[in-house]
Amino acid sequence: MGIQKYPEDYRFKCEIEKFKQCVDFAKDLLEHDKLFILFECISEVRFKAKLDKKEYDLCYTGLEYDEFKDILTNEVSVILVQNAEEPELREPNLERYLEKEIADSNTIKEILEEKYQKRKYVKDMLMDSDMDSRYWMKKKTLNYKLSGLNYELNRFVLRNHVDALYATIRIETSKTLKKEGIPEIFMGNAGEQAVSFVCDKQDLEYIIDILKKIKERM
């Protein structure tokens, strides 16, 4: 189905075969700990890859690295949320939307069937009960969630005229995390909070050691 057959603001325009190929690659990377799915961390759902373009190109063909990342971000991550929150894969709301945008009933049926196939493929290949539990555990917590982590490196001249590097780290948290593809202006009051602190290399090593101990205990 050509791109021109979709409504202009319709998100899920990736060809079904490319979409499935992207999901297949993601499944393989997840199984080899080269890809992580982050729930309610920085954004609602995000994929984090532990390989660069060069490593990717050595292992996978038929789908460019940037295209793989785009499909993950713009379609697969959104479908993960849909599948968790709306287990019924058929979408009456989508059908009503398409009926307003498209005159041809056969085209509407094709788009609905394609979207169903995409959602089912993600469910079959990437999702299990543990993933649903992870999503809802993070979604329902009353605690603030990490929504941003930024840093700035600066140079400071000590009394003995020796230069020292330090980092200003800013950690942001919020009650509601942003959704991919939705402008922040439409997200409303997210209850955002932020804290900044300065640390040198030794401070960072101390913080990293604590985080490593937490990870080991988990």
Side-chain angles (χ1 to χ4, degrees):
M1 182 183 296
I3 295 295
Q4 68 276 7
K5 293 189 178 181
Y6 299 102
E8 184 176 350
D9 59 349
Y10 184 70
R11 176 190 290 267
F12 306 95
K13 297 178 182 178
C14 174
E15 297 172 11
I16 188 68
E17 292 308 316
K18 278 192 174 183
F19 179 89
K20 288 183 176 180
Q21 191 174 33
C22 174
V23 173
D24 290 343
F25 291 175
K27 179 178 175 62
D28 186 65
L29 288 167
L30 285 166
E31 290 174 348
H32 290 88
D33 293 328
K34 291 291 186 179
L35 185 73
F36 299 101
I37 302 177
L38 305 176
F39 293 110
E40 296 287 318
C41 179
I42 306 299
S43 62
E44 193 172 43
V45 172
R46 173 170 293 189
F47 286 90
K48 175 63 178 175
K50 288 183 66 178
L51 77 172
D52 57 20
K53 183 180 185 302
K54 185 177 180 180
E55 293 174 292
Y56 175 91
D57 290 342
L58 288 173
C59 300
Y60 305 103
T61 59
L63 194 64
E64 294 293 327
Y65 182 63
D66 288 341
E67 193 171 22
F68 168 72
K69 292 194 300 179
D70 286 345
I71 298 169
L72 277 183
T73 299
N74 296 321
E75 294 202 22
V76 179
S77 65
V78 179
I79 287 176
L80 279 172
V81 175
Q82 285 186 309
N83 285 355
E85 296 191 346
E86 305 167 26
E88 174 54 54
L89 302 183
R90 298 293 181 183
E91 300 181 48
N93 288 338
L94 174 59
E95 184 173 2
R96 287 191 286 270
Y97 160 75
L98 293 173
E99 287 172 348
K100 293 178 182 178
E101 300 291 324
I102 300 173
D104 183 60
S105 60
N106 289 328
T107 301
I108 292 173
K109 288 179 182 178
E110 287 179 32
I111 295 175
L112 288 171
E113 180 59 25
E114 182 182 76
K115 180 63 185 306
Y116 171 80
Q117 292 299 328
K118 287 182 175 182
R119 288 191 60 177
K120 187 175 187 304
Y121 203 71
V122 170
K123 180 179 177 64
D124 292 343
M125 299 297 288
L126 298 183
M127 301 185 71
D128 55 27
S129 58
D130 288 342
M131 186 173 292
D132 271 348
S133 297
R134 279 185 63 207
Y135 175 79
W136 285 111
M137 180 272 293
K138 298 290 288 295
K139 183 78 173 178
K140 293 296 186 180
T141 179
L142 298 177
N143 295 324
Y144 278 70
K145 305 174 184 73
L146 180 66
S147 61
L149 181 59
N150 302 291
Y151 69 92
E152 181 179 290
L153 293 178
N154 298 283
R155 191 176 298 277
F156 183 77
V157 181
L158 302 177
R159 289 183 179 177
N160 58 2
H161 303 293
V162 174
D163 288 354
L165 279 176
Y166 67 92
T168 302
I169 297 176
R170 177 182 172 88
I171 295 176
E172 300 167 0
T173 62
S174 63
K175 285 287 191 182
T176 304
L177 297 177
K178 67 179 181 180
K179 297 178 184 288
E180 294 291 345
I182 299 180
E184 292 185 11
I185 191 173
F186 296 124
M187 292 301 294
N189 182 6
E192 295 175 348
Q193 297 183 145
V195 60
S196 297
F197 58 93
V198 173
C199 60
D200 58 20
K201 188 174 181 179
Q202 287 73 31
D203 298 327
L204 279 176
E205 288 175 351
Y206 173 72
I207 294 169
I208 291 169
D209 282 342
I210 293 175
L211 294 174
K212 283 182 177 178
K213 287 178 182 177
I214 295 172
K215 181 180 177 182
E216 289 168 0
R217 296 191 65 182
M218 292 176 70

